[in-house]
C-alpha cells in the first residue's frame, strides 16, 4: 500500500510537472505567469509549514520569519555581492541557522502547543517592529540600507549560472514551479524514511517515542530546520519574483495566512497546504481587485468557518469522500 | 551646588520610578483579562488585542457622544466588550473547549475580522481624548497626573479581582469549576454559565484596560497589534496562576522594558521584553508560577 502511494505521488507529480512546466508557459500570458510564480512560491512556503506542523506536530506561528529572513538575506547578499546564486544559498543558510538557534530554546525548553505558538508569534513581531523602525539610512548591511517600512527595492533577478543573463519571466516561472514540485517530492520521500516515521511517532506520542530511545528534541529540531530551509528558499524566490521585500512579510496578517493555507488545505498532507495557498492567494488577489469587502475581514470569517466546519481541511475531506465512493464501487463489483 | 546635584538626581530617580511603575501598571492592566480567560478557561484568546482596541473605541465614541468620561471608561467600555465576549463565547469558543490549537486559530480569525470591521467603521486615522488631570512637575521633568491614576487603578483592579476570586461565592464556584468541571457539575453548578460569566469578566476587564489606556495611546483599528505580543508574553510567562503569575511577570517585564526604553529607544524596550521572555521560558517552560506559587491565585 505504501509503495503504491509512493508511485501515485511520483506519477502525479510527473504529470503535474509536464503540464505546469511543459504546457502552461506557452499557453498563458506573461502577466499570468508572474501570478503563477507567486502562487508557486507561496505553495513552497505552505508545504514547509505543512511538514513541520502536520508531520512534526510543531505549530509555528513564525514560519513567515524564515520566509522573511530568506527574502531579506537574498536581497542583501545579491545587492552587495552581485551574485544571485550565492544569495540563494545564503538565504537558506541564514534561515537554517536562525531555526537551529530558536529551535534550541523551544525544544530544549520543551515548550509545546500554546507556548510554542506564542513564542514563535513573538519572534515574528520582534522582527516586524525592529525592521520597521530601521528606516534611517544609518541602518545598512554593506551597501544596502534596510529601509525600514519601505523595505529593500531593486532586488536583482536570478541569472543563468556562469553567465550574466537574467532569467526571463517564463524561465523564473519554470524554475519556481520546478522547485515547488521537487520540494513536494523531497518532503514526501522524507516522510517515508525512518526519520519521517520517527518524527510522526513523536507527534503522536512524545513520551512513548522517548521511552523507545529516540531523542524527541533532536528530531523536532531537525524537522524545524528543514522547514526553515524550505521557507527561507521560498522567501528568496519571492524576493526574486517581486523585486522588493518589506517588513509586511513579518506581519501578523501574513503569518495568519500561512496557517489558514495549511488548515484549510488539510493538516497532515503536503498537497493540501500547497493547494490551500494557491486557492487563498487567488482569493486575496480577487478580493483586492473587486474591493467589495476588506480582505482581512473576509480572511477572518474564512478562518473561523474553516475551524468550525472543516476542521480536517479540504484535501482529507475529499480523500474521505473518494475513499467512500471507491469503496462502494469496489463492493458493488461481483 | 552639591545640594543642587542631589536634587536633580532625586528628580531623575523619582521620574524614572514613576515611569517604571506606569510601565508595570499598564502591562498588568492589559494582561489581566487575558490571564483570566487563559487561567480559568484554558482558552488563548488571540482576539485579545482587538478587545482592547474595541474598549478604546467604545470609550472614545461614548465620550464624544457626550457621556460622562468616567462612566464611559469604568462602566460603558467594560460592558460593551464584556457583552461582545459573551457573544464570542457562545458562538465560537463554546464549540472548542479543550482544543487549544483550534481555539487559537478561530480567535485569530476573529481578530482579523474585528480589525477589518473596525477599519471599515472608523477608518484609519487615529482617534483620541486628551488625558484628564493635567501634568505634574517634578523638578525639570513633567509627568501626566493621569499616569498616577493608571497606577492606582491597576492596583485597585488586581486587589478587587483577588478579593472576588478568594472570598466570594462567585469566585469559589469559578475556581471549583476550573479545578474539576465534572465534580462541580455534579454538585449542581451550571458549567456553561460559569464559563460564559468568566469569559464576560475577562472581556470586561480587557475593555476597561483598553479604555483606560486610550487617552494616552490613542486608538486605531490596528491598535490591538501593539498590545498583543506584550500581553501574551506576560500571561504565558506568568503561568496559569491568574493574579500572582501575571502580577509577577508584569513587574519583571515592566521594569526591564521601561528601563531599556529610557536608556535606548522604545522599540528596543519592547524587543528586550520579548527576548527576556524567550530566554525565561527556556528555563521555566510552564511559566514562573508553574514552578513557584503553584497553589496561589
Amino acid at each position: 500500500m505504501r509503495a503504491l502511494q509512493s508511485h501515485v505521488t511520483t506519477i502525479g507529480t510527473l504529470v503535474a510537472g509536464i503540464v505546469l512546466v511543459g504546457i502552461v508557459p506557452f499557453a498563458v500570458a506573461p502577466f499570468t505567469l508572474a501570478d503563477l510564480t507567486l502562487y508557486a512560491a507561496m505553495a513552497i512556503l505552505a508545504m514547509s509549514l505543512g511538514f513541520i506542523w502536520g508531520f512534526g506536530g510543531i505549530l509555528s506561528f513564525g514560519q513567515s520569519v524564515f520566509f522573511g529572513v530568506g527574502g531579506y538575506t537574498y536581497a542583501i547578499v545579491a545587492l552587495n555581492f552581485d551574485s544571485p546564486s550565492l544569495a540563494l544559498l545564503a538565504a537558506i543558510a541564514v534561515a537554517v541557522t536562525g531555526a537551529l538557534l530558536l529551535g534550541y530554546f523551544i525544544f530544549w525548553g520543551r515548550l509545546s502547543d500554546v507556548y510554542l505558538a506564542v513564542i514563535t508569534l513573538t519572534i515574528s513581531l520582534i522582527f516586524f517592529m525592529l525592521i520597521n523602525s530601521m528606516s534611517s539610512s544609518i541602518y545598512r548591511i554593506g551597501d544596502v540600507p534596510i529601509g525600514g517600512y519601505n523595505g529593500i527595492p531593486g532586488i536583482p533577478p536570478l541569472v543563468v549560472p556562469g553567465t550574466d543573463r537574467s532569467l526571463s519571466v517564463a524561465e523564473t516561472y519554470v524554475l519556481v514551479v520546478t522547485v515547488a514540485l521537487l520540494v513536494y517530492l523531497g518532503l514526501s520521500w522524507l516522510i517515508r524514511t525512518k526519520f519521517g516515521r520517527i518524527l510522526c511517532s513523536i507527534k503522536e506520542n512524545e513520551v512513548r517515542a522517548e521511552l523507545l530511545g529516540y531523542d524527541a528534541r533532536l528530531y523536532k529540531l531537525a524537522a524545524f530546520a528543514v522547514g526553515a530551509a524550505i521557507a527561507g528558499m521560498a522567501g528568496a524566490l519571492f524576493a526574486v519574483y517581486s523585486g522588493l521585500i518589506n517588513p509586511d512579510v513579518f506581519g501578523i496578517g501574513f503569518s495568519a495566512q500561512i496557517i489558514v493555507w495549511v488548515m484549510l488545505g488539510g493538516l497532515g498532507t503536503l498537497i493540501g497546504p500547497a493547494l490551500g495557498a494557491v486557492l487563498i492567494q487567488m482569493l486575496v488577489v480577487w478580493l483586492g481587485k473587486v474591493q467589495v469587502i476588506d480582505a482581512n475581514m473576509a480572511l477572518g470569517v474564512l478562518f473561523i468557518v474553516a475551524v468550525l466546519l472543516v476542521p480536517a481541511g479540504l484535501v482529507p475531506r475529499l480523500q474521505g469522500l473518494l475513499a467512500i465512493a471507491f469503496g462502494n464501487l469496489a463492493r458493488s463489483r461481483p | 551646588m552639591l545640594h543642587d546635584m542631589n536634587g536633580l538626581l532625586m528628580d531623575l530617580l523619582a521620574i524614572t520610578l514613576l515611569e517604571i511603575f506606569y510601565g508595570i501598571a499598564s502591562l498588568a492592566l492589559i494582561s489581566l483579562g487575558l490571564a483570566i480567560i487563559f487561567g480559568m478557561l484554558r482558552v488563548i484568546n488571540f482576539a485579545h488585542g482587538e478587545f482592547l482596541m474595541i474598549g478604546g473605541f467604545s470609550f472614545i465614541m461614548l465620550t464624544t457622544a457626550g457621556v460622562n468620561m468616567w462612566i464611559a471608561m469604568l462602566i460603558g467600555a467594560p460592558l460593551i466588550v464584556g457583552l461582545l465576549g459573551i457573544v464570542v463565547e457562545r458562538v465560537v469558543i463554546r464549540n472548542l473547549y479543550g482544543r487549544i490549537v483550534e481555539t487559537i486559530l478561530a480567535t485569530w480569525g476573529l481578530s482579523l475580522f474585528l480589525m477589518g470591521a473596525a477599519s471599515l467603521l472608523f477608518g484609519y486615522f487615529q482617534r483620541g481624548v486628551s488625558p484628564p488631570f493635567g501634568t505634574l512637575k517634578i523638578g525639570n521633568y513633567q509627568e501626566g497626573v493621569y499616569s498616577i491614576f493608571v497606577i492606582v487603578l491597576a492596583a485597585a483592579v488586581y486587589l478587587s479581582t483577588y478579593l472576588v476570586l478568594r472570598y466570594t461565592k462567585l469566585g469559589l464556584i469559578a475556581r471549583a469549576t476550573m479545578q474539576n468541571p465534572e465534580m462541580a457539575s455534579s454538585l449542581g453548578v451550571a458549567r456553561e454559565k460559569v464559563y460564559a460569566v468568566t469569559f464576560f469578566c475577562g472581556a470586561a476587564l480587557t475593555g476597561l484596560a483598553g479604555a483606560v489606556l486610550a487617552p494616552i495611546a490613542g486608538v486605531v483599528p490596528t491598535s490591538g497589534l501593539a498590545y498583543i505580543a506584550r500581553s501574551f508574553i506576560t500571561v504565558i510567562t506568568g503561568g496559569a496562576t491568574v493574579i500572582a503569575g501575571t502580577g509577577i511577570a508584569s513587574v519583571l517585564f515592566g521594569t526591564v522594558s521601561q528601563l531599556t526604553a529610557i536608556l535606548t529607544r522604545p522599540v528596543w524596550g519592547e524587543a528586550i521584553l520579548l527576548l527576556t521572555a524567550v530566554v525565561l521560558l527556556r528555563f521555566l517552560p510552564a511559566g514562573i508560577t508553574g514552578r513557584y506559587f503553584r497553589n496561589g491565585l
Side-chain angles (χ1 to χ4, degrees):
Chain A
M1 185 65 199
R2 184 172 288 131
L4 178 71
Q5 218 168 9
S6 144
H7 286 309
V8 169
T9 308
T10 320
I11 294 168
T13 315
L14 261 177
V15 173
I18 290 169
V19 173
L20 287 173
V21 176
I23 300 176
V24 171
F26 304 103
V28 302
F31 178 75
T32 318
L33 273 187
D35 269 358
L36 292 176
T37 312
L38 174 67
Y39 298 157
M42 294 307 177
I44 298 175
L45 175 60
M47 284 188 280
S48 79
L49 182 66
F51 170 65
I52 64 165
W53 185 14
F55 298 91
I58 306 164
L59 170 53
S60 165
F61 279 47
Q63 203 62 10
S64 57
V65 169
F66 302 123
F67 180 83
V69 164
Y72 266 93
T73 309
Y74 177 83
I76 291 165
V77 175
L79 286 169
N80 267 321
F81 297 103
D82 202 28
S83 166
S85 315
L86 177 70
L88 194 58
L89 292 179
I92 297 173
V94 172
V96 170
T97 314
L100 291 176
L101 208 67
L102 178 59
Y104 164 75
F105 281 97
I106 292 177
F107 302 122
W108 265 255
R110 294 206 179 273
L111 300 180
S112 60
D113 285 356
V114 188
Y115 296 90
L116 204 158
V118 171
I119 287 288
T120 45
L121 178 70
T122 305
I123 298 287
S124 67
L125 285 170
I126 294 181
F127 270 91
F128 183 67
M129 281 181 324
L130 286 183
I131 297 207
N132 253 316
S133 72
M134 290 181 174
S135 47
S136 153
S137 58
I138 57 164
Y139 297 106
R140 50 173 66 236
I141 296 178
D143 297 329
V144 186
I146 299 295
Y149 42 81
N150 290 321
I152 305 177
I155 302 171
L158 285 166
V159 295
V160 180
T163 66
D164 277 345
R165 194 173 70 78
S166 305
L167 295 185
S168 69
V169 173
E171 285 163 343
T172 310
Y173 161 80
V174 170
L175 176 78
V176 179
V177 167
T178 311
V179 171
L181 293 171
L182 287 178
V183 165
Y184 174 68
L185 278 183
L187 285 178
S188 308
W189 167 78
L190 189 61
I191 290 161
R192 285 194 307 270
T193 59
K194 189 173 177 218
F195 169 81
R197 291 209 292 276
I198 294 169
L199 190 67
C200 285
S201 77
I202 291 170
K203 183 196 77 170
E204 295 301 331
N205 192 334
E206 186 162 339
V207 177
R208 185 175 293 172
E210 293 228 304
L211 289 175
L212 290 172
Y214 300 112
D215 188 343
R217 300 171 299 188
L218 267 180
Y219 281 90
K220 282 184 172 179
L221 186 65
F224 197 54
V226 169
I230 296 169
M233 187 169 57
L237 293 173
F238 171 76
V240 169
Y241 150 82
S242 66
L244 168 87
I245 188 109
N246 67 31
D248 285 349
V249 291
F250 296 114
I252 200 164
F254 188 56
S255 5
Q257 263 190 44
I258 309 173
I259 308 251
V260 189
W261 298 342
V262 177
M263 189 74 196
L264 192 76
L267 191 62
T269 67
L270 284 174
I271 193 77
L275 282 181
V278 173
L279 287 178
I280 290 180
Q281 275 299 308
M282 286 162 86
L283 180 73
V284 169
V285 169
W286 180 73
L287 283 173
K289 267 186 200 138
V290 293
Q291 297 270 341
V292 186
I293 185 174
D294 188 279
N296 267 345
M297 245 173 106
L299 276 183
V301 173
L302 190 67
F303 216 162
I304 300 174
V305 171
V307 172
L308 290 179
L309 298 186
V310 214
L314 290 178
V315 167
R317 246 305 156 78
L318 280 177
Q319 280 173 343
L321 289 178
L322 280 179
I324 292 172
F326 279 111
N328 287 344
L329 213 67
R331 234 171 290 137
S332 67
R333 256 182 232 148
Chain B
M1 189 61 194
L2 192 67
H3 182 74
D4 271 6
M5 278 296 284
N6 264 336
L8 278 179
L9 223 63
M10 288 307 289
D11 293 347
L12 185 64
L13 192 67
I15 199 84
T16 310
L17 274 179
L18 199 61
E19 292 262 309
I20 289 176
F21 276 127
Y22 172 72
I24 295 170
S26 58
L27 204 53
L29 269 182
I30 61 171
S31 309
L32 185 61
L34 186 70
I36 287 182
I37 291 174
F38 174 59
M40 310 288 272
L41 304 177
R42 294 270 117 192
V43 163
I44 279 275
N45 177 21
F46 260 83
H48 180 70
E50 280 59 47
F51 280 24
L52 285 164
M53 177 266 291
I54 291 169
F57 267 122
S58 317
F59 164 66
I60 286 171
M61 288 298 151
L62 287 173
T63 322
T64 352
V67 178
N68 176 294
M69 181 173 168
W70 301 111
I71 294 180
M73 179 187 293
L74 302 175
I75 299 172
L79 206 62
I80 291 174
V81 180
L83 291 176
L84 173 74
I86 287 200
V87 174
V88 168
E89 201 270 344
R90 289 287 87 186
V91 177
V92 182
I93 309 287
R94 188 171 56 114
N95 305 303
L96 301 171
Y97 279 117
R99 288 153 63 192
I100 281 190
V101 175
E102 276 92 341
T103 331
I104 293 180
L105 297 175
T107 50
W108 200 346
L110 184 70
S111 136
L112 286 176
F113 172 77
L114 291 175
M115 215 187 302
S119 56
L120 271 185
L121 283 175
F122 303 115
Y124 274 109
F125 64 94
Q126 178 155 348
R127 292 170 197 248
V129 170
S130 57
F133 301 134
T135 55
L136 173 76
K137 264 180 97 71
I138 305 176
N140 293 325
Y141 304 99
Q142 276 198 345
E143 180 72 36
V145 178
Y146 189 72
S147 307
I148 298 173
F149 167 75
V150 174
I151 297 171
V152 174
L153 185 80
V157 167
Y158 266 69
L159 185 67
S160 30
T161 310
Y162 174 76
L163 292 178
V164 167
L165 280 176
R166 184 82 182 77
Y167 292 110
T168 65
K169 196 171 173 205
L170 186 77
L172 184 72
I173 291 175
R175 281 186 293 139
T177 314
M178 161 179 99
Q179 248 178 29
N180 192 336
E182 274 75 36
M183 185 58 81
S185 194
S186 58
L187 288 175
V189 172
R191 208 193 323 180
E192 300 253 306
K193 216 154 125 195
V194 176
Y195 288 160
V197 170
T198 313
F199 209 91
F200 171 83
C201 293
L205 283 170
T206 309
L208 174 71
V212 169
L213 294 181
I216 294 183
V219 191
V220 283
T222 51
S223 280
L225 295 179
Y227 297 117
I228 191 159
R230 269 185 290 165
S231 48
F232 267 119
I233 226 65
T234 308
V235 171
I236 292 292
T237 316
T241 320
V242 178
I243 306 278
T246 313
I248 295 169
S250 300
V251 171
L252 178 69
F253 290 144
T255 313
V256 170
S257 74
Q258 282 293 23
L259 274 181
T260 320
I262 293 169
L263 293 175
T264 58
R265 294 192 308 146
V267 62
W268 284 112
E270 187 102 333
I272 291 290
L273 186 165
L274 300 175
L275 281 180
T276 317
V278 173
V279 175
L280 206 65
L281 279 178
R282 161 69 185 83
F283 300 106
L284 300 171
I288 299 171
T289 50
R291 176 161 295 182
Y292 313 106
F293 310 102
R294 219 173 307 178
N295 299 317
L297 249 181

